[in-house]
Amino acid sequence: MVFYLIGLGLGNPEDVTVKGLKAIKSADRVYLEAYTSILTCGKSALEEFYGRSIILADRDMVEQNSNELLRDAKKQNVVFLVVGDPFGATTHSDLVLRALEQEIPYKVIHNASIMNAVGCCGLQLYNFGETVSIVFWTDTWKPSSFCDKINENLKRGMHTLCLLDIKVKEQSIENLMRGKKVYEPPRYMTSNLACQQLLEVVEDKQSESENSVLTKETMCVSLACVGSDEQKIVAAPLNQLVNCELGPVLHSLIITGTLHPLEYDFLKICTVLYNESHSNTAKAR
């Protein structure tokens, strides 16, 4: 018997691989990881496509109660579904280590993720440096260390993929202190908000006379719903991109480094296609 970690791809039920689908249909239990990313089609669409029920696995189950996921995996086939690729989040590496500790056989079935699908904008994947995460700021907590990594990438002429924050099944500080199991509504960071936070960091560094390779004029790329029919890509300087509405999430943001002529030409095409579509939609209204 095997503990499977199966990538679902970018969101459509049909994105699962043939190998992955066979493993799902033969499993005794199927879990869906539901906090490092979201499935735009919804759990019910997966259940209908697979012809079987799926158990949602939230952060608490995956990080604090992994024994439930691995329960009876020596005697049963257990599947753990992940949007994108199974190793897109470090949490899933930890699951493999736990399986090994318990001498549970495991198999990983890979799939596309945002880490490689960003090539759809025309930027060459081998020109990307370290990936960063941009988190939601609060009134009292505004981390900006990710900008140091962006600047290091820019110094080397490398692009930076920015993964934008997702808040699912989060509790307010007040409810945490009171021990209430009341959760805040899900939130998904848009590229607009990420650009706003980046601009604030750039302005702060300028006011503090700190050197920053990232500027208001740095060319950036916003991507929405990558891999779906609603996919949108827009390239513009940071101070212009902040005003660009891409619509439904999930969004990603790329800070470009040195652009090869082919990359530059491809970005122009993507942006023109988006602008034409957006303009036609506005006229229709």
Side-chain angles (χ1 to χ4, degrees):
M1 298 293 101
V2 178
F3 178 65
Y4 288 93
L5 293 94
I6 299 177
L8 295 180
L10 297 167
N12 190 293
E14 297 179 1
D15 288 344
V16 69
T17 64
V18 174
K19 184 187 293 186
L21 186 58
K22 287 181 178 178
I24 292 166
K25 287 184 176 293
S26 68
D28 296 283
R29 297 198 315 278
V30 180
Y31 294 93
L32 171 63
E33 191 263 75
Y35 72 92
T36 60
S37 187
I38 62 167
L39 193 68
T40 52
C41 66
K43 180 172 81 79
S44 58
L46 282 189
E47 291 178 323
E48 182 178 353
F49 185 70
Y50 300 152
R52 60 168 310 142
S53 62
I54 295 173
I55 305 165
L56 282 179
D58 60 16
R59 182 188 294 270
D60 287 342
M61 178 182 286
V62 177
E63 295 185 349
Q64 307 299 328
N65 194 22
S66 60
N67 286 335
E68 171 59 23
L69 296 174
L70 299 172
R71 174 175 54 84
D72 295 331
K74 289 184 179 180
K75 299 180 291 183
Q76 299 178 335
N77 286 328
V78 178
V79 164
F80 183 69
L81 304 175
V82 181
V83 179
D85 185 82
F87 289 136
T90 54
T91 299
H92 308 140
S93 301
D94 182 64
L95 278 177
V96 170
L97 292 174
R98 292 177 185 274
L100 289 171
E101 286 175 2
Q102 298 179 40
E103 299 182 344
I104 296 171
Y106 78 92
K107 288 184 180 179
V108 178
I109 300 177
H110 295 282
N111 210 321
S113 77
I114 192 63
M115 301 292 285
N116 55 17
V118 291
C120 65
C121 70
L123 297 180
Q124 297 164 5
L125 293 180
Y126 56 77
N127 287 337
F128 278 78
E130 185 174 354
T131 299
V132 305
S133 297
I134 300 180
V135 300
F136 282 109
W137 282 355
T138 68
D139 293 337
T140 57
W141 187 64
K142 296 186 176 183
S144 60
S145 57
F146 59 86
C147 265
D148 295 334
K149 295 180 180 180
I150 292 173
N151 280 317
E152 286 302 313
N153 285 341
L154 288 173
K155 289 176 184 177
R156 298 163 53 209
M158 310 296 282
H159 311 313
T160 306
L161 171 61
C162 302
L163 303 178
L164 308 187
D165 202 4
I166 293 174
K167 296 291 187 186
V168 178
K169 207 174 181 181
E170 297 278 337
Q171 290 181 270
S172 67
I173 295 176
E174 181 181 356
N175 284 325
L176 275 171
M177 293 177 66
R178 293 182 177 181
K180 290 185 177 181
K181 287 286 185 178
V182 178
Y183 300 103
E184 299 292 295
R187 290 191 296 155
Y188 309 101
M189 183 179 285
T190 63
S191 60
N192 307 72
L193 180 56
C195 289
Q196 289 175 25
Q197 293 185 180
L198 281 169
L199 284 170
E200 188 170 328
V201 174
V202 170
E203 290 170 0
D204 287 345
K205 287 186 178 295
Q206 288 178 342
S207 64
E208 296 170 5
S209 300
E210 291 186 29
N211 292 325
S212 175
V213 187
L214 177 66
T215 70
K216 298 177 183 179
E217 291 76 32
T218 299
M219 182 64 70
C220 300
V221 185
S222 287
L223 306 96
C225 302
V226 172
S228 76
D229 293 338
E230 291 74 39
Q231 175 175 298
K232 294 176 183 174
I233 304 170
V234 180
L238 179 60
N239 58 357
Q240 295 179 28
L241 198 60
V242 69
N243 298 314
C244 181
E245 296 284 348
L246 286 190
V249 292
L250 292 172
H251 292 183
S252 300
L253 180 68
I254 301 172
I255 315 298
T256 69
T258 304
L259 289 169
H260 185 278
L262 290 177
E263 293 179 308
Y264 183 74
D265 289 343
F266 204 114
L267 284 181
K268 284 196 299 183
I269 293 171
C270 290
T271 303
V272 168
L273 288 175
Y274 169 79
N275 287 338
E276 288 179 350
S277 172
H278 191 67
S279 175
N280 291 336
T281 302
K283 289 176 182 177
R285 292 174 181 171

PDB file of all heavy atoms in Angstrom, residues 30-59:
ATOM      1  N   VAL A  30      -9.023   9.897   0.083  1.00  0.00           N
ATOM      2  CA  VAL A  30      -8.449  10.978  -0.714  1.00  0.00           C
ATOM      3  C   VAL A  30      -8.599  12.295   0.038  1.00  0.00           C
ATOM      4  O   VAL A  30      -9.714  12.673   0.422  1.00  0.00           O
ATOM      5  CB  VAL A  30      -9.136  11.101  -2.092  1.00  0.00           C
ATOM      6  CG1 VAL A  30      -8.516  12.246  -2.894  1.00  0.00           C
ATOM      7  CG2 VAL A  30      -9.033   9.796  -2.867  1.00  0.00           C
ATOM      8  N   TYR A  31      -7.471  12.980   0.257  1.00  0.00           N
ATOM      9  CA  TYR A  31      -7.468  14.275   0.920  1.00  0.00           C
ATOM     10  C   TYR A  31      -7.098  15.366  -0.089  1.00  0.00           C
ATOM     11  O   TYR A  31      -6.314  15.131  -1.016  1.00  0.00           O
ATOM     12  CB  TYR A  31      -6.440  14.307   2.052  1.00  0.00           C
ATOM     13  CG  TYR A  31      -6.755  13.380   3.203  1.00  0.00           C
ATOM     14  CD1 TYR A  31      -6.235  12.089   3.248  1.00  0.00           C
ATOM     15  CD2 TYR A  31      -7.559  13.800   4.267  1.00  0.00           C
ATOM     16  CE1 TYR A  31      -6.505  11.236   4.305  1.00  0.00           C
ATOM     17  CE2 TYR A  31      -7.838  12.954   5.329  1.00  0.00           C
ATOM     18  CZ  TYR A  31      -7.314  11.672   5.347  1.00  0.00           C
ATOM     19  OH  TYR A  31      -7.586  10.830   6.394  1.00  0.00           O
ATOM     20  N   LEU A  32      -7.650  16.556   0.115  1.00  0.00           N
ATOM     21  CA  LEU A  32      -7.299  17.713  -0.703  1.00  0.00           C
ATOM     22  C   LEU A  32      -6.702  18.791   0.183  1.00  0.00           C
ATOM     23  O   LEU A  32      -7.370  19.298   1.091  1.00  0.00           O
ATOM     24  CB  LEU A  32      -8.534  18.266  -1.425  1.00  0.00           C
ATOM     25  CG  LEU A  32      -8.353  19.602  -2.160  1.00  0.00           C
ATOM     26  CD1 LEU A  32      -7.328  19.467  -3.299  1.00  0.00           C
ATOM     27  CD2 LEU A  32      -9.689  20.101  -2.705  1.00  0.00           C
ATOM     28  N   GLU A  33      -5.450  19.116  -0.042  1.00  0.00           N
ATOM     29  CA  GLU A  33      -4.783  20.191   0.714  1.00  0.00           C
ATOM     30  C   GLU A  33      -5.427  21.517   0.346  1.00  0.00           C
ATOM     31  O   GLU A  33      -5.549  21.841  -0.831  1.00  0.00           O
ATOM     32  CB  GLU A  33      -3.290  20.179   0.399  1.00  0.00           C
ATOM     33  CG  GLU A  33      -2.454  21.050   1.309  1.00  0.00           C
ATOM     34  CD  GLU A  33      -2.167  22.408   0.715  1.00  0.00           C
ATOM     35  OE1 GLU A  33      -3.087  23.252   0.702  1.00  0.00           O
ATOM     36  OE2 GLU A  33      -1.046  22.625   0.257  1.00  0.00           O
ATOM     37  N   ALA A  34      -5.851  22.278   1.358  1.00  0.00           N
ATOM     38  CA  ALA A  34      -6.710  23.430   1.088  1.00  0.00           C
ATOM     39  C   ALA A  34      -6.222  24.725   1.725  1.00  0.00           C
ATOM     40  O   ALA A  34      -7.041  25.527   2.155  1.00  0.00           O
ATOM     41  CB  ALA A  34      -8.132  23.120   1.577  1.00  0.00           C
ATOM     42  N   TYR A  35      -4.893  24.946   1.759  1.00  0.00           N
ATOM     43  CA  TYR A  35      -4.468  26.224   2.337  1.00  0.00           C
ATOM     44  C   TYR A  35      -3.236  26.845   1.694  1.00  0.00           C
ATOM     45  O   TYR A  35      -3.032  28.057   1.792  1.00  0.00           O
ATOM     46  CB  TYR A  35      -4.249  26.104   3.852  1.00  0.00           C
ATOM     47  CG  TYR A  35      -3.015  25.328   4.253  1.00  0.00           C
ATOM     48  CD1 TYR A  35      -1.804  25.966   4.477  1.00  0.00           C
ATOM     49  CD2 TYR A  35      -3.058  23.954   4.406  1.00  0.00           C
ATOM     50  CE1 TYR A  35      -0.677  25.259   4.841  1.00  0.00           C
ATOM     51  CE2 TYR A  35      -1.942  23.239   4.775  1.00  0.00           C
ATOM     52  CZ  TYR A  35      -0.751  23.898   4.991  1.00  0.00           C
ATOM     53  OH  TYR A  35       0.360  23.186   5.343  1.00  0.00           O
ATOM     54  N   THR A  36      -2.359  26.089   1.026  1.00  0.00           N
ATOM     55  CA  THR A  36      -1.214  26.733   0.379  1.00  0.00           C
ATOM     56  C   THR A  36      -1.595  27.305  -0.977  1.00  0.00           C
ATOM     57  O   THR A  36      -0.911  28.166  -1.514  1.00  0.00           O
ATOM     58  CB  THR A  36      -0.019  25.761   0.197  1.00  0.00           C
ATOM     59  OG1 THR A  36      -0.429  24.651  -0.607  1.00  0.00           O
ATOM     60  CG2 THR A  36       0.474  25.256   1.540  1.00  0.00           C
ATOM     61  N   SER A  37      -2.692  26.814  -1.546  1.00  0.00           N
ATOM     62  CA  SER A  37      -3.240  27.369  -2.774  1.00  0.00           C
ATOM     63  C   SER A  37      -4.727  27.060  -2.784  1.00  0.00           C
ATOM     64  O   SER A  37      -5.235  26.390  -1.887  1.00  0.00           O
ATOM     65  CB  SER A  37      -2.551  26.776  -4.006  1.00  0.00           C
ATOM     66  OG  SER A  37      -2.971  27.446  -5.180  1.00  0.00           O
ATOM     67  N   ILE A  38      -5.431  27.551  -3.803  1.00  0.00           N
ATOM     68  CA  ILE A  38      -6.854  27.260  -3.895  1.00  0.00           C
ATOM     69  C   ILE A  38      -7.164  26.596  -5.223  1.00  0.00           C
ATOM     70  O   ILE A  38      -6.458  26.788  -6.212  1.00  0.00           O
ATOM     71  CB  ILE A  38      -7.721  28.528  -3.743  1.00  0.00           C
ATOM     72  CG1 ILE A  38      -7.421  29.527  -4.879  1.00  0.00           C
ATOM     73  CG2 ILE A  38      -7.554  29.137  -2.382  1.00  0.00           C
ATOM     74  CD1 ILE A  38      -8.432  30.638  -4.971  1.00  0.00           C
ATOM     75  N   LEU A  39      -8.217  25.815  -5.206  1.00  0.00           N
ATOM     76  CA  LEU A  39      -8.681  25.146  -6.413  1.00  0.00           C
ATOM     77  C   LEU A  39      -9.825  25.970  -6.975  1.00  0.00           C
ATOM     78  O   LEU A  39     -10.900  26.052  -6.377  1.00  0.00           O
ATOM     79  CB  LEU A  39      -9.143  23.733  -6.071  1.00  0.00           C
ATOM     80  CG  LEU A  39      -9.367  22.778  -7.221  1.00  0.00           C
ATOM     81  CD1 LEU A  39      -8.034  22.432  -7.882  1.00  0.00           C
ATOM     82  CD2 LEU A  39     -10.041  21.516  -6.722  1.00  0.00           C
ATOM     83  N   THR A  40      -9.603  26.611  -8.109  1.00  0.00           N
ATOM     84  CA  THR A  40     -10.602  27.544  -8.634  1.00  0.00           C
ATOM     85  C   THR A  40     -11.899  26.855  -9.034  1.00  0.00           C
ATOM     86  O   THR A  40     -12.959  27.467  -9.043  1.00  0.00           O
ATOM     87  CB  THR A  40     -10.038  28.300  -9.850  1.00  0.00           C
ATOM     88  OG1 THR A  40      -9.523  27.353 -10.800  1.00  0.00           O
ATOM     89  CG2 THR A  40      -8.911  29.232  -9.425  1.00  0.00           C
ATOM     90  N   CYS A  41     -11.834  25.562  -9.333  1.00  0.00           N
ATOM     91  CA  CYS A  41     -13.043  24.854  -9.754  1.00  0.00           C
ATOM     92  C   CYS A  41     -13.875  24.368  -8.579  1.00  0.00           C
ATOM     93  O   CYS A  41     -15.048  24.029  -8.733  1.00  0.00           O
ATOM     94  CB  CYS A  41     -12.675  23.675 -10.653  1.00  0.00           C
ATOM     95  SG  CYS A  41     -11.758  22.370  -9.810  1.00  0.00           S
ATOM     96  N   GLY A  42     -13.275  24.300  -7.386  1.00  0.00           N
ATOM     97  CA  GLY A  42     -14.002  23.835  -6.215  1.00  0.00           C
ATOM     98  C   GLY A  42     -13.903  22.338  -6.005  1.00  0.00           C
ATOM     99  O   GLY A  42     -13.712  21.566  -6.947  1.00  0.00           O
ATOM    100  N   LYS A  43     -14.059  21.906  -4.735  1.00  0.00           N
ATOM    101  CA  LYS A  43     -13.947  20.496  -4.383  1.00  0.00           C
ATOM    102  C   LYS A  43     -15.026  19.655  -5.053  1.00  0.00           C
ATOM    103  O   LYS A  43     -14.771  18.530  -5.497  1.00  0.00           O
ATOM    104  CB  LYS A  43     -14.036  20.332  -2.863  1.00  0.00           C
ATOM    105  CG  LYS A  43     -13.937  18.896  -2.378  1.00  0.00           C
ATOM    106  CD  LYS A  43     -13.826  18.837  -0.861  1.00  0.00           C
ATOM    107  CE  LYS A  43     -15.180  18.969  -0.201  1.00  0.00           C
ATOM    108  NZ  LYS A  43     -15.962  17.704  -0.230  1.00  0.00           N
ATOM    109  N   SER A  44     -16.248  20.175  -5.140  1.00  0.00           N
ATOM    110  CA  SER A  44     -17.352  19.392  -5.700  1.00  0.00           C
ATOM    111  C   SER A  44     -17.106  19.016  -7.162  1.00  0.00           C
ATOM    112  O   SER A  44     -17.490  17.931  -7.613  1.00  0.00           O
ATOM    113  CB  SER A  44     -18.667  20.171  -5.582  1.00  0.00           C
ATOM    114  OG  SER A  44     -18.583  21.412  -6.246  1.00  0.00           O
ATOM    115  N   ALA A  45     -16.438  19.931  -7.904  1.00  0.00           N
ATOM    116  CA  ALA A  45     -16.125  19.630  -9.307  1.00  0.00           C
ATOM    117  C   ALA A  45     -15.135  18.480  -9.397  1.00  0.00           C
ATOM    118  O   ALA A  45     -15.223  17.636 -10.304  1.00  0.00           O
ATOM    119  CB  ALA A  45     -15.566  20.870  -9.998  1.00  0.00           C
ATOM    120  N   LEU A  46     -14.179  18.432  -8.465  1.00  0.00           N
ATOM    121  CA  LEU A  46     -13.239  17.316  -8.436  1.00  0.00           C
ATOM    122  C   LEU A  46     -13.967  16.017  -8.118  1.00  0.00           C
ATOM    123  O   LEU A  46     -13.728  14.981  -8.749  1.00  0.00           O
ATOM    124  CB  LEU A  46     -12.157  17.558  -7.384  1.00  0.00           C
ATOM    125  CG  LEU A  46     -11.015  18.513  -7.702  1.00  0.00           C
ATOM    126  CD1 LEU A  46      -9.959  18.429  -6.611  1.00  0.00           C
ATOM    127  CD2 LEU A  46     -10.399  18.225  -9.048  1.00  0.00           C
ATOM    128  N   GLU A  47     -14.836  16.064  -7.119  1.00  0.00           N
ATOM    129  CA  GLU A  47     -15.548  14.853  -6.722  1.00  0.00           C
ATOM    130  C   GLU A  47     -16.399  14.317  -7.870  1.00  0.00           C
ATOM    131  O   GLU A  47     -16.477  13.102  -8.076  1.00  0.00           O
ATOM    132  CB  GLU A  47     -16.422  15.157  -5.501  1.00  0.00           C
ATOM    133  CG  GLU A  47     -15.610  15.417  -4.240  1.00  0.00           C
ATOM    134  CD  GLU A  47     -16.474  15.770  -3.043  1.00  0.00           C
ATOM    135  OE1 GLU A  47     -17.492  16.469  -3.236  1.00  0.00           O
ATOM    136  OE2 GLU A  47     -16.113  15.361  -1.921  1.00  0.00           O
ATOM    137  N   GLU A  48     -17.010  15.209  -8.607  1.00  0.00           N
ATOM    138  CA  GLU A  48     -17.826  14.783  -9.746  1.00  0.00           C
ATOM    139  C   GLU A  48     -16.959  14.147 -10.835  1.00  0.00           C
ATOM    140  O   GLU A  48     -17.304  13.114 -11.404  1.00  0.00           O
ATOM    141  CB  GLU A  48     -18.584  15.980 -10.318  1.00  0.00           C
ATOM    142  CG  GLU A  48     -19.492  15.626 -11.478  1.00  0.00           C
ATOM    143  CD  GLU A  48     -20.265  16.822 -12.010  1.00  0.00           C
ATOM    144  OE1 GLU A  48     -20.192  17.904 -11.396  1.00  0.00           O
ATOM    145  OE2 GLU A  48     -20.924  16.672 -13.059  1.00  0.00           O
ATOM    146  N   PHE A  49     -15.797  14.761 -11.097  1.00  0.00           N
ATOM    147  CA  PHE A  49     -14.907  14.258 -12.146  1.00  0.00           C
ATOM    148  C   PHE A  49     -14.286  12.917 -11.750  1.00  0.00           C
ATOM    149  O   PHE A  49     -14.157  12.011 -12.581  1.00  0.00           O
ATOM    150  CB  PHE A  49     -13.822  15.288 -12.431  1.00  0.00           C
ATOM    151  CG  PHE A  49     -12.917  14.928 -13.575  1.00  0.00           C
ATOM    152  CD1 PHE A  49     -13.378  14.941 -14.883  1.00  0.00           C
ATOM    153  CD2 PHE A  49     -11.596  14.568 -13.350  1.00  0.00           C
ATOM    154  CE1 PHE A  49     -12.552  14.598 -15.944  1.00  0.00           C
ATOM    155  CE2 PHE A  49     -10.756  14.230 -14.403  1.00  0.00           C
ATOM    156  CZ  PHE A  49     -11.228  14.246 -15.703  1.00  0.00           C
ATOM    157  N   TYR A  50     -13.887  12.802 -10.464  1.00  0.00           N
ATOM    158  CA  TYR A  50     -13.247  11.572  -9.993  1.00  0.00           C
ATOM    159  C   TYR A  50     -14.267  10.480  -9.667  1.00  0.00           C
ATOM    160  O   TYR A  50     -13.914   9.297  -9.586  1.00  0.00           O
ATOM    161  CB  TYR A  50     -12.414  11.834  -8.744  1.00  0.00           C
ATOM    162  CG  TYR A  50     -11.292  12.828  -8.919  1.00  0.00           C
ATOM    163  CD1 TYR A  50     -10.837  13.586  -7.840  1.00  0.00           C
ATOM    164  CD2 TYR A  50     -10.667  13.024 -10.149  1.00  0.00           C
ATOM    165  CE1 TYR A  50      -9.808  14.505  -7.993  1.00  0.00           C
ATOM    166  CE2 TYR A  50      -9.645  13.935 -10.311  1.00  0.00           C
ATOM    167  CZ  TYR A  50      -9.221  14.678  -9.219  1.00  0.00           C
ATOM    168  OH  TYR A  50      -8.209  15.587  -9.360  1.00  0.00           O
ATOM    169  N   GLY A  51     -15.512  10.883  -9.412  1.00  0.00           N
ATOM    170  CA  GLY A  51     -16.525   9.917  -9.027  1.00  0.00           C
ATOM    171  C   GLY A  51     -16.334   9.378  -7.631  1.00  0.00           C
ATOM    172  O   GLY A  51     -16.658   8.211  -7.356  1.00  0.00           O
ATOM    173  N   ARG A  52     -15.841  10.234  -6.724  1.00  0.00           N
ATOM    174  CA  ARG A  52     -15.628   9.794  -5.342  1.00  0.00           C
ATOM    175  C   ARG A  52     -15.546  10.991  -4.411  1.00  0.00           C
ATOM    176  O   ARG A  52     -15.338  12.120  -4.843  1.00  0.00           O
ATOM    177  CB  ARG A  52     -14.364   8.956  -5.237  1.00  0.00           C
ATOM    178  CG  ARG A  52     -13.082   9.654  -5.651  1.00  0.00           C
ATOM    179  CD  ARG A  52     -11.886   8.849  -5.226  1.00  0.00           C
ATOM    180  NE  ARG A  52     -12.012   8.489  -3.844  1.00  0.00           N
ATOM    181  CZ  ARG A  52     -11.636   7.300  -3.331  1.00  0.00           C
ATOM    182  NH1 ARG A  52     -11.092   6.404  -4.125  1.00  0.00           N
ATOM    183  NH2 ARG A  52     -11.789   7.020  -2.053  1.00  0.00           N
ATOM    184  N   SER A  53     -15.710  10.745  -3.115  1.00  0.00           N
ATOM    185  CA  SER A  53     -15.676  11.824  -2.128  1.00  0.00           C
ATOM    186  C   SER A  53     -14.239  12.184  -1.785  1.00  0.00           C
ATOM    187  O   SER A  53     -13.319  11.365  -1.896  1.00  0.00           O
ATOM    188  CB  SER A  53     -16.427  11.417  -0.861  1.00  0.00           C
ATOM    189  OG  SER A  53     -15.810  10.285  -0.269  1.00  0.00           O
ATOM    190  N   ILE A  54     -14.069  13.452  -1.367  1.00  0.00           N
ATOM    191  CA  ILE A  54     -12.749  13.982  -1.019  1.00  0.00           C
ATOM    192  C   ILE A  54     -12.832  14.657   0.342  1.00  0.00           C
ATOM    193  O   ILE A  54     -13.809  15.361   0.645  1.00  0.00           O
ATOM    194  CB  ILE A  54     -12.271  14.992  -2.073  1.00  0.00           C
ATOM    195  CG1 ILE A  54     -12.068  14.296  -3.421  1.00  0.00           C
ATOM    196  CG2 ILE A  54     -10.978  15.673  -1.638  1.00  0.00           C
ATOM    197  CD1 ILE A  54     -11.761  15.254  -4.555  1.00  0.00           C
ATOM    198  N   ILE A  55     -11.806  14.460   1.159  1.00  0.00           N
ATOM    199  CA  ILE A  55     -11.746  15.068   2.491  1.00  0.00           C
ATOM    200  C   ILE A  55     -10.841  16.302   2.430  1.00  0.00           C
ATOM    201  O   ILE A  55      -9.699  16.224   1.959  1.00  0.00           O
ATOM    202  CB  ILE A  55     -11.166  14.071   3.520  1.00  0.00           C
ATOM    203  CG1 ILE A  55     -11.968  12.770   3.507  1.00  0.00           C
ATOM    204  CG2 ILE A  55     -11.148  14.695   4.914  1.00  0.00           C
ATOM    205  CD1 ILE A  55     -11.263  11.621   4.214  1.00  0.00           C
ATOM    206  N   LEU A  56     -11.343  17.446   2.889  1.00  0.00           N
ATOM    207  CA  LEU A  56     -10.518  18.655   2.924  1.00  0.00           C
ATOM    208  C   LEU A  56      -9.501  18.561   4.056  1.00  0.00           C
ATOM    209  O   LEU A  56      -9.848  18.224   5.197  1.00  0.00           O
ATOM    210  CB  LEU A  56     -11.380  19.899   3.118  1.00  0.00           C
ATOM    211  CG  LEU A  56     -12.126  20.436   1.891  1.00  0.00           C
ATOM    212  CD1 LEU A  56     -12.942  21.656   2.267  1.00  0.00           C
ATOM    213  CD2 LEU A  56     -11.157  20.780   0.769  1.00  0.00           C
ATOM    214  N   ALA A  57      -8.258  18.867   3.750  1.00  0.00           N
ATOM    215  CA  ALA A  57      -7.186  18.871   4.750  1.00  0.00           C
ATOM    216  C   ALA A  57      -6.712  20.300   4.948  1.00  0.00           C
ATOM    217  O   ALA A  57      -6.075  20.888   4.076  1.00  0.00           O
ATOM    218  CB  ALA A  57      -6.027  17.984   4.291  1.00  0.00           C
ATOM    219  N   ASP A  58      -7.051  20.897   6.101  1.00  0.00           N
ATOM    220  CA  ASP A  58      -6.651  22.274   6.366  1.00  0.00           C
ATOM    221  C   ASP A  58      -5.257  22.319   6.989  1.00  0.00           C
ATOM    222  O   ASP A  58      -4.605  21.283   7.183  1.00  0.00           O
ATOM    223  CB  ASP A  58      -7.672  22.988   7.255  1.00  0.00           C
ATOM    224  CG  ASP A  58      -7.855  22.309   8.611  1.00  0.00           C
ATOM    225  OD1 ASP A  58      -6.998  21.477   9.000  1.00  0.00           O
ATOM    226  OD2 ASP A  58      -8.849  22.613   9.299  1.00  0.00           O
ATOM    227  N   ARG A  59      -4.803  23.530   7.312  1.00  0.00           N
ATOM    228  CA  ARG A  59      -3.456  23.708   7.861  1.00  0.00           C
ATOM    229  C   ARG A  59      -3.254  22.900   9.140  1.00  0.00           C
ATOM    230  O   ARG A  59      -2.212  22.266   9.332  1.00  0.00           O
ATOM    231  CB  ARG A  59      -3.201  25.190   8.136  1.00  0.00           C
ATOM    232  CG  ARG A  59      -1.795  25.477   8.669  1.00  0.00           C
ATOM    233  CD  ARG A  59      -1.662  26.926   9.119  1.00  0.00           C
ATOM    234  NE  ARG A  59      -1.774  27.832   8.006  1.00  0.00           N
ATOM    235  CZ  ARG A  59      -0.727  28.255   7.274  1.00  0.00           C
ATOM    236  NH1 ARG A  59       0.484  27.819   7.552  1.00  0.00           N
ATOM    237  NH2 ARG A  59      -0.905  29.098   6.285  1.00  0.00           N
TER     238      ARG A  59
END
